[in-house]
Amino acid sequence: MPKIVDPESRRAEVADALFRLAAREGLHRVSLRTVAAEAALNVGSVRHYFDNQAELMRFAMRSMIDRVAARIRQRADELVAATGLSASERRERVVGLLGELLPLDEKRRAEVTVFVEFVTAARTDPALTDLAREAAEGTRALVRHVLQRSEVDDLELEVRRLIALLDGLSFDGVLHPEALTPRQIEAVVRAHLARL
C-alpha cells in the first residue's frame, strides 16, 4: 500500500530543507535539486509540490514570515494579558517580544541569516519584493505598537531609530556572532528602551 503523504507537511519539510541549506551555504546555492538533496528526497518529489524554484522561494519566505509572526503574536498576547507589571518587568517582556526578530539562539540566528538572504534577493527579484515589503511593514507596525505607550516627542522618528537598531543588531549578530553575544544584543535593546 503506498504511503500517504500530507502535502502541507511535505511542503513544510522542503521549506525547512531550504532554510538549512540557505543558512549554511547561502541562498545562491538553493535550487530544486540542492533542496531535494538536503531534504533527502528525489527532485521529482520536490517538483510534485513546487513547479519551479521561484514558487519554492516564495513559499519558503512566506513560511518564514508566518512562523516569526506567530511567535510575535503569542508574545504580544502574553504582554497584553499581563497586568500589574512594573516598568522594568514590562521592558523585559518587550525585549523578549523584539527578541523574536533577533539572532538570540541557533534557531533565530538561522532564521535571521536566511531572512537577510531573502531580503537581499528581493532587492532584484520582483517575485519576492512584496513579501520583503510585507515583512518590513510588519516590523514597523510592531515597533510602532511597542513605542506608542512610551512618551516620546516624535513617534515616527523613534520607530525608525529602533528599527535601525534591530536591523543593525541582526546583521552584526549574523555576520559577527563571535563579537556580539545574545546577551549583549539584549542589553543593547534593553538600554535603548530604558532611555525612551
Side-chain angles (χ1 to χ4, degrees), residues 23 102-106 108-110 112-113 168-185:
L102 297 167
L104 298 178
D105 54 32
E106 285 309 311
R108 287 178 282 183
R109 176 173 281 110
V112 172
T113 300
L169 290 170
S170 292
F171 277 93
D172 261 6
V174 164
L175 297 175
H176 310 290
E178 70 290 342
L180 187 63
T181 68
R183 188 170 281 179
Q184 289 169 322
I185 291 171

Side-chain angles (χ1 to χ4, degrees), residues 7-57:
E8 287 310 306
S9 177
R10 179 54 56 91
R11 288 168 67 88
E13 284 176 41
V14 172
D16 287 342
L18 184 148
F19 296 153
R20 289 190 306 273
L21 182 64
R24 191 175 62 243
E25 299 182 32
L27 207 53
H28 66 282
R29 293 278 299 137
V30 169
S31 68
L32 292 177
R33 185 170 307 288
T34 59
V35 170
E38 179 70 25
L41 298 169
N42 66 51
V43 75
S45 294
V46 173
R47 282 196 177 111
H48 179 74
Y49 297 100
F50 301 98
D51 289 336
N52 53 47
Q53 184 172 333
E55 186 180 329
L56 172 59
M57 297 283 271

Side-chain angles (χ1 to χ4, degrees), residues 119-149:
V119 172
T120 303
R123 188 180 69 77
T124 57
D125 184 349
L128 299 174
T129 303
D130 63 320
L131 294 175
R133 186 177 315 109
E134 177 186 332
E137 288 169 0
T139 299
R140 250 190 314 279
L142 171 67
V143 168
R144 185 176 293 109
H145 184 71
V146 163
L147 293 180
Q148 279 176 336
R149 289 190 173 196

Side-chain angles (χ1 to χ4, degrees), residues 66-111:
D66 291 347
R67 288 178 193 189
V68 174
R71 289 199 318 262
I72 288 171
R73 272 192 302 278
Q74 180 180 348
R75 291 252 192 181
D77 290 347
E78 291 168 1
L79 183 59
V80 168
T83 57
L85 295 176
S86 69
S88 64
E89 290 169 329
R90 178 170 168 67
R91 187 168 37 254
E92 283 308 304
R93 297 273 183 114
V94 172
V95 169
L97 173 66
L98 296 175
E100 293 301 335
L101 301 171
L102 297 167
L104 298 178
D105 54 32
E106 285 309 311
K107 177 182 178 182
R108 287 178 282 183
R109 176 173 281 110
E111 285 177 343

